[in-house]
């Protein structure tokens, strides 16, 4: 193998190992938990990420590859209709078979296949496509590692015993303050948006193109729990004039009166976290709010959400978070009080923008089923920018576009204001 293939194989194996590592603190009963259709069970994530390598690499490019079960093609297909009709998403938690051990065998089987493919592919006529798809498979698995954290948090939260996924490290005192809120001015003008350079990016970050951005100001940090509490105390959830029509309808239908995991108990304000139920820190960023809540909060304090072009322009002068492939803490921390500039860009909560998730001018999907990865979701969703405490740092960059429906709030999503 050349050094390129060797490096790729090392990256592949490290990514595969980390998926197992983040599951290692689960009890066996946790592996099939699915508290809602959108929160896939850990075992399904382990299988589906293997399915991706099997479907898009081993089946098309490794001639002697044999499958463990033909049915896995259906069971672990997420949404690729070009591959076939997927098993229904809401019932993934019913898949007690294959067992966890069988899924681990499936993972090893796929790992061996990718090793064989990489060792023999230098002379392969599809060499470039193989390398490109393995990189995509690694990036895909990293996205599922983040989803593992968001989904297990949601599923564990449904248990009145408030089980913790992991014990907390040292956390700040709940009364510690974060840096003061300030707005950083930007001149705007003719700017470029979208990924530049030769590194990996998803198709939805391309092509890089020009945008006109009016002068704007962006908050130096995210909105805190205490600031969001003031919105609640001022009747934020009872004042229709603050809300988009769809947002107000969601508030009424869902009975929302606070962010997703907030609880007020006899012991004071708490929130459910991956460390279990803990005291809510006033200075920590508010997390698990929907796009509608972010929008209403911004309107309440006479500001607005940024556009994705504004966010990218502001983030482009800061370094992305580096090449780490593991998260450091599964809960967002307060902004350090001694620092200046735009804080919490990547390591706390995703930041809702007011930009609709639409194709950039000239956007093209790849041919075949793999083209279903991003493009077909460009309808009715909003873009979130940055990253969160459960994102894999190596994935994050100024041009990265996350996207969710505006009522969604089980992701680690927060609020950065703009004016
Ligand atoms: Fe996936």
């Amino acid at each position: 193998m050349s050094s390129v293939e060797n490096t790729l194989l090392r990256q592949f194996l490290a990514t595969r190992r980390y998926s197992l590592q983040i599951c290692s603190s689960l009890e066996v009963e946790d592996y099939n938990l699915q508290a809602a259709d959108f929160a896939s069970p850990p075992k399904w994530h382990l299988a589906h990420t293997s399915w991706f390598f099997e479907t898009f690499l081993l089946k098309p490019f490794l001639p002697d590859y044999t499958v463990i079960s033909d049915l896995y093609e259906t069971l672990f297909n997420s949404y690729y209709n070009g591959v076939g009709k997927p098993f229904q998403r809401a019932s993934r938690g019913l898949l007690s078979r294959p067992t966890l051990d069988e899924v681990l065998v499936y993972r090893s089987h796929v790992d061996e296949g990718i090793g064989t493919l990489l060792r023999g592919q230098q002379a392969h006529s599809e060499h470039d496509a193989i390398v490109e798809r393995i990189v995509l498979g690694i990036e895909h698995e990293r996205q599922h590692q983040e989803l593992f954290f968001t989904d297990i948090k949601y599923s564990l939260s449904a248990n009145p015993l408030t089980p913790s996924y992991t014990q907390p490290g040292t956390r700040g005192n709940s009364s510690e303050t974060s840096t003061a809120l300030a707005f950083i001015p930007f001149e705007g003008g003719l700017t470029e948006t979208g990924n530049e350079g030769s590194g990996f990016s998803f198709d939805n970050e391309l092509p890089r193109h020009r945008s006109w951005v009016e002068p704007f100001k962006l908050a130096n940090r995210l909105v805190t729990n205490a600031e969001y509490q003031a919105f609640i105390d001022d009747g934020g959830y009872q004042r229709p004039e603050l809300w988009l029509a769809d947002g107000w309808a969601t508030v009424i239908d869902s009975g929302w009166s606070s962010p997703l995991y907030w609880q007020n108990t006899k012991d004071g304000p708490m929130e459910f976290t991956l460390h279990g139920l803990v005291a809510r820190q006033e200075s920590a960023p508010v997390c698990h709010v929907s796009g509608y809540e972010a929008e209403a909060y911004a309107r309440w304090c006479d500001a607005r959400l940024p556009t994705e072009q504004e966010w990218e322009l502001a983030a482009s002068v800061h370094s992305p978070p580096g090449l780490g492939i593991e998260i450091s803490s599964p809960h967002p921390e307060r902004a350090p009080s001694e620092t200046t500039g735009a804080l919490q860009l990547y390591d706390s909560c995703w930041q809702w923008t007011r930009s609709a998730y639409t194709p950039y001018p000239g956007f093209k999907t790849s041919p075949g089923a793999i083209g279903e990865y991003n493009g077909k979701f460009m309808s009715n969703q909003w873009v979130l920018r940055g990253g969160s405490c459960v994102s894999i740092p190596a994935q994050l960059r100024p041009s990265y576009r996350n996207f969710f429906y505006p009522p969604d709030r089980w992701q680690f999503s927060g609020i950065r204001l703009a004016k």
Side-chain angles (χ1 to χ4, degrees):
M1 270 196 292
S2 75
S3 63
V4 173
E5 279 82 21
N6 252 321
T7 304
L8 194 54
L9 184 58
R10 270 205 311 279
Q11 285 174 353
F12 168 77
L13 293 174
T15 303
R16 301 286 283 169
R17 270 196 304 275
Y18 190 55
S19 294
L20 299 179
Q21 188 184 320
I22 58 181
C23 290
S24 62
S25 59
L26 298 178
E27 299 295 340
V28 72
E29 290 84 353
D30 299 334
Y31 275 89
N32 249 25
L33 279 181
Q34 184 179 25
D37 60 349
F38 53 75
S40 295
K43 190 175 76 176
W44 187 88
H45 283 299
L46 290 176
H48 164 70
T49 45
S50 307
W51 172 95
F52 191 93
F53 286 108
E54 179 177 71
T55 302
F56 294 119
L57 281 144
L58 300 180
K59 286 182 177 177
F61 297 125
L62 189 61
D64 298 329
Y65 180 71
T66 53
V67 299
I68 289 180
S69 165
D70 287 329
L71 276 175
Y72 287 4
E73 178 167 295
T74 303
L75 293 184
F76 302 126
N77 179 1
S78 50
Y79 52 67
Y80 295 85
N81 296 310
V83 175
K85 188 181 176 199
F87 182 75
Q88 59 269 26
R89 185 169 76 148
S91 302
R92 288 170 184 167
L94 298 178
L95 296 173
S96 62
R97 307 291 193 279
T99 64
L100 176 60
D101 284 345
E102 287 168 332
V103 166
L104 296 178
V105 168
Y106 178 42
R107 284 184 68 85
S108 298
H109 182 68
V110 167
D111 290 348
E112 279 170 30
I114 293 294
T116 306
L117 183 64
L118 261 177
R119 275 186 284 274
Q121 59 82 52
Q122 273 170 288
H124 202 293
S125 60
E126 302 277 3
H127 169 275
D128 292 351
I130 289 170
V131 168
E132 202 174 292
R133 284 200 182 183
I134 291 177
V135 171
L136 182 63
I138 291 171
E139 297 290 340
H140 170 256
E141 184 142 352
R142 288 172 173 169
Q143 289 186 314
H144 276 274
Q145 288 164 354
E146 174 166 0
L147 290 174
F148 160 83
F149 288 110
T150 61
D151 294 359
I152 194 66
K153 182 172 183 178
Y154 189 82
S155 291
L156 290 175
S157 78
N159 188 333
L161 293 172
T162 63
S164 62
Y165 159 78
T166 181
Q167 293 305 309
T170 44
R171 300 187 74 216
N173 185 302
S174 66
S175 60
E176 274 183 291
T177 55
S178 61
T179 194
L181 180 66
F183 283 86
I184 305 168
F186 291 86
E187 281 184 16
L190 190 62
T191 65
E192 296 211 351
T193 303
N195 192 262
E196 65 176 336
S198 54
F200 174 84
S201 66
F202 288 104
D203 56 1
N204 62 2
E205 298 167 57
L206 296 169
R208 190 166 167 85
H209 60 283
R210 290 173 298 172
S211 311
W212 184 261
V213 175
E214 296 294 334
F216 68 100
K217 292 177 182 169
L218 192 70
N220 62 331
R221 62 158 171 80
L222 305 190
V223 171
T224 64
N225 283 328
E227 289 163 345
Y228 198 82
Q229 181 67 56
F231 164 74
I232 296 175
D233 294 343
D234 195 37
Y237 283 91
Q238 288 86 43
R239 293 171 53 183
E241 74 272 18
L242 298 174
W243 295 79
L244 294 168
D246 288 349
W248 183 246
T250 309
V251 168
I252 299 297
D253 291 348
S254 309
W256 286 351
S257 58
S258 68
L260 176 58
Y261 293 123
W262 283 26
Q263 290 184 32
N264 291 319
T265 73
K266 62 178 173 42
D267 298 320
M270 312 286 277
E271 68 180 317
F272 183 75
T273 70
L274 284 166
H275 306 307
L277 193 63
V278 303
R280 204 155 69 225
Q281 288 185 292
E282 291 190 348
S283 55
V286 64
C287 192
H288 298 289
V289 289
S290 64
Y292 293 143
E293 288 164 301
E295 229 274 339
Y297 177 85
R299 192 174 303 192
W300 172 75
C301 57
D302 208 19
R304 61 176 175 83
L305 302 180
T307 66
E308 63 171 322
Q309 289 79 14
E310 290 169 339
W311 192 98
E312 187 169 325
L313 177 63
S316 62
V317 299
H318 294 269
S319 308
L323 299 175
I325 63 163
E326 300 186 6
I327 71 158
S328 50
S329 165
H331 193 67
E333 300 289 343
R334 69 184 175 87
S337 53
E338 65 280 6
T339 332
T340 56
L343 307 171
Q344 300 174 314
L345 285 168
Y346 298 104
D347 57 357
S348 296
C349 306
W350 287 98
Q351 295 130 64
W352 285 103
T353 74
R354 199 59 176 78
S355 296
Y357 179 49
T358 55
Y360 287 160
F363 169 75
K364 279 195 179 64
T365 56
S366 303
I370 207 161
E372 296 183 53
Y373 198 111
N374 280 315
K376 71 180 185 180
F377 298 108
M378 291 173 171
S379 168
N380 300 326
Q381 306 205 51
W382 289 7
V383 172
L384 298 95
R385 287 304 197 104
S388 82
C389 57
V390 295
S391 304
I392 303 304
Q395 285 213 290
L396 304 174
R397 52 191 165 265
S399 61
Y400 192 105
R401 304 173 86 196
N402 202 350
F403 49 93
F404 282 94
Y405 294 97
D408 289 342
R409 53 185 202 162
W410 92 107
Q411 296 300 309
F412 286 67
S413 47
I415 310 170
R416 185 184 298 276
L417 298 173
K419 287 188 174 179

